[in-house]
Amino acid sequence: MDQTFRLAGASPASAVFPELEPAIGRAPTDAAPNTRVRHRFRLPARGLHQKQSPLGNVHSSVMNFRNIHEHGTLLAKYLEARKSIFIDSLHWNVSEAEGMEYDQYDTPACQWIVLHQFGEIVGGVRLLPTTAKCGIYTYMLRDAQRGLLDSIPTDVLFFEAPVRSNVWEASRFFIAETVPAARRLSVQHMLFESMARTAYQNGATSILGIVPAVWSRWARRIGAGATPVGPKFSIDGVASQPVLFNIRGYLS
């Protein structure tokens, strides 16, 4: 598999999405959409060039509106961790209530992937299908392109934002600041794999997301093939760039 982080320049959509099937993406036969995933990962050696620290009792849980009740206070703790990262540390101008960070994309259409250990949040990411719609909002990159988000430029993508059942968007990707440096790569790998597998189980073959502009180094280290699909820009002082991940190739 080609693991190179390729610069897309001003490529048209046909060049950026050559691997996407024109037909509606289907979930694997052994996994139904919205399947709840809760397990401990054993990380593959692919893409890692150093001995990994054991992840101990870190668990990955996938939450949605259907199964929130099965996870106790985990969702509240996850949103509290998001506040700690995005508001307290990064000083993003986003909504908060009762010590929790949230926005218009935390809807029944999304899936929250949360890593946790002994009740403490280790990391997390939010997934949303590009077919989602809630009032005037759809998903972050498309809404930015439509001029609905002041913090993201309208020319964020090199092409028209897709609305496809087999393309999902990832946002609010974070690793808790309490994770020691020696374990961060292992935790990042675990979170990315859980994100990719959850999206795939829901019919996705590709994931769009806004990531730090230095993402290419991390992507190469964990073996995640990614293509920049928009220019670099700044979000509250953080250099960022939209990318497309081919999760079919990553999980194969």
Side-chain angles (χ1 to χ4, degrees), residues 82 86 92 94 101 103 124-126 140 171-174:
R82 275 178 31 179
F86 298 109
W92 285 12
V94 291
E101 184 269 315
D103 66 16
V125 64
R126 177 180 61 198
M140 193 176 297
S171 56
R172 295 298 197 268
F173 191 106
F174 73 90

Side-chain angles (χ1 to χ4, degrees), residues 125-167:
V125 64
R126 177 180 61 198
L127 284 173
L128 189 68
T130 59
T131 54
K133 187 174 183 179
C134 182
I136 64 172
Y137 297 104
T138 58
Y139 65 95
M140 193 176 297
L141 280 167
R142 185 165 184 259
D143 290 345
Q145 195 174 66
R146 295 163 64 213
L148 298 179
L149 305 179
D150 294 337
S151 60
I152 303 176
T154 56
D155 61 350
V156 66
L157 293 173
F158 293 138
F159 48 82
E160 184 176 352
V163 179
R164 298 169 179 247
S165 60
N166 58 341
V167 182

